[in-house]
Amino acid sequence: MRTRSRSISLLASTILGLTLGLTACGDEADPVPPAVAGTSAAAPPDSCGGAGDRVKDHLNSAEVSSVAVNGQCTSVVITTTLGDDAATAALRFCESAAEVAYTGDVNAVTVLAASGAELAIGISGAKCMASA
């Protein structure tokens, strides 16, 4: 009986020691490095033959928030600061983008309002159209 109680005591001490040891490891975790003020992450390179950069440079407008190439480099999406009722301006952006966008696999241009609503769309070989 004495051997059994000694084994239980030894087992309890071992478990207690492991628990305390693991708890102590949690306190010694590597600290998170502080953010460096004034820096920002670099934009990922345009991996679609420069189509997005080419369109953004060509449009060169403060009303263009971003230009992204989606799918397998098949669609250029232009996000703007335009309102949902700015179909005429969206058509101008779409037609201007079409002048340089349709290279490689790119075959569509979409212009979005600030709200995310689709304002205009174009496909290679056709005029841009306002969305309904």
Side-chain angles (χ1 to χ4, degrees):
M1 187 68 95
R2 190 165 212 216
T3 307
R4 182 180 168 130
S5 68
R6 186 170 180 197
S7 295
I8 291 174
S9 177
L10 184 58
L11 181 61
S13 296
T14 303
I15 292 172
L16 179 61
L18 287 172
T19 303
L20 291 174
L22 290 175
T23 303
C25 288
D27 293 339
E28 296 175 15
D30 291 335
V32 176
V36 179
T39 62
S40 62
D46 183 347
S47 61
C48 294
D53 294 335
R54 193 170 43 256
V55 169
K56 187 165 187 160
D57 292 344
H58 185 71
L59 295 176
N60 193 24
S61 172
E63 292 177 307
V64 174
S65 302
S66 67
V67 176
V69 183
N70 293 334
Q72 294 179 327
C73 300
T74 58
S75 175
V76 173
V77 179
I78 303 163
T79 304
T80 69
T81 59
L82 299 173
D84 291 351
D85 58 349
T88 303
L91 280 171
R92 280 195 310 269
F93 281 136
C94 184
E95 290 166 0
S96 182
E99 295 171 2
V100 297
Y102 301 133
T103 60
D105 292 332
V106 176
N107 59 24
V109 173
T110 302
V111 180
L112 303 177
S115 69
E118 184 177 272
L119 297 177
I121 188 164
I123 58 171
S124 182
K127 287 189 149 269
C128 290
M129 300 182 314
S131 298

